[in-house]
Every structure is written in C-alpha cells, then in structure tokens.
Amino acid sequence: MKFALALLAVIVVALIVPFFIPLGSQPEGVDPNNNLPWQVESDNQGGSTVFGLKPGVSTLGDVRQKLGADMEVAIIAEPEELGSLEGYYAQVPLGFVLAKVIVTVDASKDAISAMRERALKAKHMESTTRRITLHPDDLAAAENMPVRAISVIPTVNLDEATVIQRFGQPDERLVLSEKRVHLLYPKKGLDVLVDGGGKELLQYVAPRDFALLREPLQATRDDKAAGQ
C-alpha cells in the first residue's frame, strides 16, 4: 500500500512539475504567488480582474505593461472571414505557471476592415488561417483599444479534477464530446475547456459579458444534438 501511494505521488509530480517555472528560474520581477490563473477577483458590478487586468476595460497597452513587451499583434483571419485583432505571447509566466496567452481586442468590424486595407502583409499560419501584420499607425492605435477576452493555454495538460481543485466547482458543465468538456464559471467570467485529446484552454471575459463565451458553446452543442 505504501509503495502504491509512493508511486502515485511520483506520477502526480511528473504531471504537475512541467506546469511550473523551475525553482530559482523565475524571470526578474515576477512574483510566483501573484497573477495565477485561478486568482480571479469579481467586483460585483459585472467586472473582474485577472493577471492584474480588467477584461473589457484594460487596453492592449495595459497588457503589454503587465505581461511583457514581446507581445505580437496581428489580425487573425480564417478564409472568407474578416478576422479578429489579437495579441499573442508564445510563453509568459503567470505567477509560477507557464502558458501561451492570446488577448482579443475589442475592435469594431469597420476598424478591422480599415486595418486590413492598410495592412503590410499577410502570412499563412496552420491550414489556411492568415496572420495579417498591421500598418505601424494602426499598431500604435491598437495600444489604446480595450481587450475583450484573455485566453490562456497552460504548458501542461490538466484534468477536470485539477481544474476543480484550483477554481472550485463550476456553475455549469457542458459536454461537447467524450473527451471535451467546458467548465463554466459565470461569476468569474471564465470558461475552462478540458480536452482529453489536446491542450486545455482558459478563457476570461468580464462576468457581464459571459454570454460571449456561453452562447457559442450552447449553439454548438444544440447543433450536434440536432444532427444525431
């Protein structure tokens, strides 16, 4: 029995350690106990704060100040779609957690259309998705635009039990497939996708804007149910 418990402990450590920044190697100025993904504060007025940022209020420039200057900004567009204005970090420390971070800018369709007309180039990403580089004037203007959503992809896979341990019991659980389930926390403005076949995804919006996360999920589930 003791051997089984010891073996279980080794497995747990092997799964969790890659989620953390190695001891003593935190970037200068990073507090390993602050700005963690589960440290979400709601203001009871429809707003929230996570990573020192307020979704729907903080600007792209605020994100750059909080998370680092090496953010890439571009319009990301699928074929036949206008696209969205996004900021991207390949890897950033969130407390002691390492993650990819994508922020979606709250830019109007007209603004994005005008930016596309002035864009310098379009680079193809995976499949046929395009990454459209902004004109320097638009890049500067984007710094003052508010961020609508913050998406986080941890560097390690998480299971549902770990998510619940950190964030608490979800208000709602939407199952999309055998391996993919969304844990919804409307009071936090948070949707956690637990994906047994891929990477987990945490999406944050202001609680007052939670419908932006939930409605597309419900529509997807309804469509799948109708097709069965």
Side-chain angles (χ1 to χ4, degrees):
M1 182 66 178
K2 289 183 179 179
F3 175 77
L5 291 175
L7 181 60
L8 177 60
V10 170
I11 294 173
V12 169
V13 169
L15 290 173
I16 293 178
V17 165
F19 193 39
F20 304 145
I21 301 173
L23 185 62
S25 65
Q26 287 92 352
E28 185 177 353
V30 173
D31 185 343
N33 297 312
N34 282 333
N35 292 336
L36 291 161
W38 48 88
Q39 293 176 338
V40 185
E41 297 181 4
S42 300
D43 60 16
N44 298 319
Q45 297 179 349
S48 63
T49 301
V50 62
F51 315 126
L53 300 166
K54 297 180 180 294
V57 176
S58 296
T59 65
L60 195 63
D62 294 331
V63 175
R64 197 182 294 277
Q65 287 184 344
K66 290 289 185 180
L67 301 185
D70 58 342
M71 176 173 56
E72 299 179 18
V73 180
I75 295 171
I76 307 300
E78 298 289 342
E80 308 302 325
E81 291 186 359
L82 182 62
S84 60
L85 181 58
E86 299 179 359
Y88 172 74
Y89 290 94
Q91 190 175 84
V92 65
L94 304 173
F96 57 77
V97 174
L98 288 174
K100 294 180 180 179
V101 175
I102 303 168
V103 295
T104 303
V105 180
D106 192 5
S108 68
K109 292 182 178 180
D110 288 343
I112 293 176
S113 179
M115 288 179 179
R116 287 192 60 156
E117 290 181 4
R118 294 187 291 267
L120 300 178
K121 62 180 178 179
K123 179 181 178 181
H124 286 277
M125 301 172 64
E126 294 181 6
S127 67
T128 54
T129 303
R130 290 191 298 168
R131 179 182 181 275
I132 303 169
T133 303
L134 301 183
H135 185 279
D137 291 344
D138 290 325
L139 187 60
E143 294 290 301
N144 297 317
M145 294 182 176
V147 170
R148 182 172 65 244
I150 303 171
S151 300
V152 172
I153 305 173
T155 57
V156 71
N157 291 331
L158 306 173
D159 60 19
E160 187 171 340
T162 301
V163 173
I164 292 174
Q165 179 185 14
R166 290 298 190 180
F167 293 93
Q169 288 290 340
D171 290 75
E172 189 174 3
R173 188 174 181 272
L174 287 180
V175 179
L176 296 186
S177 69
E178 183 178 344
K179 291 187 176 182
R180 304 178 80 228
V181 58
H182 287 265
L183 307 180
L184 305 182
Y185 300 84
K187 295 177 183 177
K188 298 178 185 292
L190 170 66
D191 164 33
V192 182
L193 168 62
V194 179
D195 190 341
K199 287 292 187 180
E200 277 60 53
L201 172 65
L202 289 66
Q203 298 183 88
Y204 303 83
V205 297
R208 59 177 167 268
D209 297 327
F210 192 71
L212 294 174
L213 297 179
R214 191 188 186 285
E215 289 181 357
L217 296 177
Q218 186 63 54
T220 299
R221 193 170 73 164
D222 292 346
D223 289 344
K224 287 187 175 182
Q228 292 178 350

